[in-house]
Amino acid sequence: MTISKTVRKKSSPVPVKDRAYSLDSTSKLSSTMQIPLVSVVEDLDEKSSSHLEVFQPNRQPQKIELGRKELIIGRVSECGIYLPYSNVSRQHARVFGKGEEFLVEDLDSTNGTFVNGVKISRCILRNNDQIRIGETRIQFVQRKFRV
Amino acid sequence: MAKSVSEKIYVTFWGTRGSISTPGSSTEKYGGNTSCVSLQHDKTTIILDAGTGIRNLGIDLFQQMKQNNTGLKLHLFLSHTHWDHIQGLPFFVPAYLKGAKLAIYGSPKKEAFLESILQRQMDVNYFPVEMNALAADISINEISKEKLNIGGLTIDWQEQVYHPGGCVRYRFTAGNKKVVYATDVELDKMFDQRNKTSKNKALQKEYLKFIHGADLLIADGQYTTEEYPTKVGYGHSSIPLVIETAYQQKVKQLAIFHHEPQHSDSFLDRLCSQFTQKYAAKKPPMTIFWAREGMTVPV
C-alpha cells in the first residue's frame, strides 16, 4: 500500500515593492489628529440609553430613564413606578442592570409579570419588549452603541 | 389553597439555537448559543444538555456559589451527544471546581461510549484540557428503565428514534407539575400518514402519552412548513405540526426550541406573532412562545 503524502508548498513572499502598501507606509495614510480611544468609549457610553415607556389605563404615557439603580414597580407610593391598582402587588417587580444588560424580575407577585405575553420569573430585556403588569403596559426601549 | 412553593419549577433558557451557535446582532434577542436549559426545583439544579449556552450557566452558578457560600451539586441530562448538545461542557466553570459534584446522565444506547464520547471531545487535538484533569467530582451514568428521583423531582424518559443517532426526551414531575424536554425529533416522520406500521403507531402513542397535559413542553421547532421538505431526515420538526400535536394533547405552555441557525430575531418574531395569537384565542387557550436566552419561566 502506498501512502501519499501531501506537502504544503510554502508560498514565496511577495516583495515589499509589489504590495499595495507596506507596513512602513501606513502612518502616511492615517489621520494627523489623534483621537484617544477612552474619549470615544465615553462618548458612545453617553449615547447609549435605555428607558421605559409606561402606559397606564386613562393616563398620559410616562417615560422613565434607566440607570444603575434598580427600579421597583408596585402598588406602594415609594415605588419608582407606582401602579395604584388592586391587581398589582405592593412590590410587584423590579428592573435592574447587570453587566451590559437590563433585566426584569417578578418579586413573587400574586398576579404575575409578563414579557411579550409570557409569564416570567426573570428575563433579560431586549429593545421593544413589552412588560405587562395588571392592565399596565411597559415598553423597554434601548439604544446601544458599541466600539 | 395556594400551591406549595416546593412544587414550583423554574425553567431558564441558556441556549436555544439548534445545530450551531450563531452570535451576532441579528440573533441577540432569542440568542445564539446552542441547547442548554436549567430547571430549579427547591434546592435541586437540573441541567438539560451542554450546548454552548452552558458556559453562561456555569458563570452564573459560580457567582451564586460565591455569594451564598454553598457547594455545587449538579445533575446534567444529555438528550444526545451531537455537537450542539455537548460542545459547551469544556467551558463549564463548575467542572473545574474542586468539591463541585456533577452527575452526567445519558442514554444507555450509548453503552460505555457516553464516557468516551465526552472524553474524546476533550482530547488534546480538540481542546487543551483533558477531561481527567477536571477538578470536580464527575460521574457519568447511563439512565435505566426505572424512574429516577432527585430531590423532589421524578424523572422519566423515552428514546426518540426519529433523530439520526437517536435522542432521549425527558419528563420532570414535581407534585402535579410536569415539564417535558423533547428536542431533536422529526415529528413529521413519526406522524407521516404513509407510515402505518404497528411499530410507528406504538411510537406515536408513546410520544402523545408522554407529552399529554404537560405544564411546559420544550419542543424542537426548527423548520417552517416551507423549509421542511428540503430537510427531511435531518431529525427536526416543522413548527405547525409540533404546535398542533401539543394542543391536541392539552399542553398548557409550549416553548418552541432549537431554532434554525438561519432564522433571525425578526423572522422568529414574525413566526411568534403568527402562532401565538391563534392559539391564545382558542378554547381552551395554549400559551406558545419562542424560547429565548436569559428568560426564566415559573411552572
Side-chain angles (χ1 to χ4, degrees), chain B residues 248-268:
Chain B
Q248 293 301 327
Q249 292 310 309
K250 300 183 172 23
V251 166
K252 293 180 189 79
Q253 193 163 215
L254 171 65
I256 298 291
F257 187 72
H258 209 274
H259 311 314
E260 159 63 33
Q262 288 298 100
H263 291 176
S264 65
D265 286 339
S266 52
F267 188 87
L268 294 179

Side-chain angles (χ1 to χ4, degrees), chain A residues 81-93:
Chain A
I81 299 180
Y82 170 47
L83 303 176
Y85 308 105
S86 58
N87 58 359
V88 175
S89 296
R90 292 170 60 79
Q91 292 209 327
H92 194 109

Side-chain angles (χ1 to χ4, degrees), chain B residues 161-210:
Chain B
V161 296
Y162 290 115
H163 190 73
C167 181
V168 172
R169 58 176 164 258
Y170 294 102
R171 181 167 55 192
F172 301 85
T173 310
N176 60 358
K177 297 286 183 192
K178 272 188 287 188
V179 175
V180 177
Y181 181 68
T183 188
D184 292 60
V185 62
E186 195 166 341
L187 292 186
D188 302 70
K189 274 198 164 179
M190 191 191 287
F191 293 100
D192 184 345
Q193 300 291 329
R194 293 164 298 182
N195 188 349
K196 291 182 174 144
T197 59
S198 56
K199 191 186 166 197
N200 194 54
K201 278 184 184 163
L203 289 172
Q204 287 178 5
K205 212 173 156 183
E206 260 183 12
Y207 175 76
L208 298 176
K209 200 176 166 194
F210 199 80

Side-chain angles (χ1 to χ4, degrees), chain B residues 103-166:
Chain B
I104 304 175
Y105 305 84
S107 168
K109 263 179 83 179
K110 304 279 180 199
E111 294 169 0
F113 293 118
L114 180 61
E115 187 164 359
S116 73
I117 290 167
L118 296 175
Q119 258 172 1
R120 282 197 324 246
Q121 84 156 344
M122 293 183 78
D123 176 275
V124 73
N125 289 301
Y126 303 113
F127 195 71
V129 183
E130 291 197 1
M131 201 165 176
N132 298 340
L134 297 178
D137 175 7
I138 300 174
S139 65
I140 299 179
N141 313 275
E142 288 159 20
I143 41 178
S144 60
K145 277 183 184 171
E146 292 81 41
K147 285 182 181 178
L148 187 66
N149 289 300
I150 298 175
L153 285 169
T154 304
I155 301 132
D156 58 342
W157 61 279
Q158 283 174 353
E159 285 285 352
Q160 306 194 111
V161 296
Y162 290 115
H163 190 73

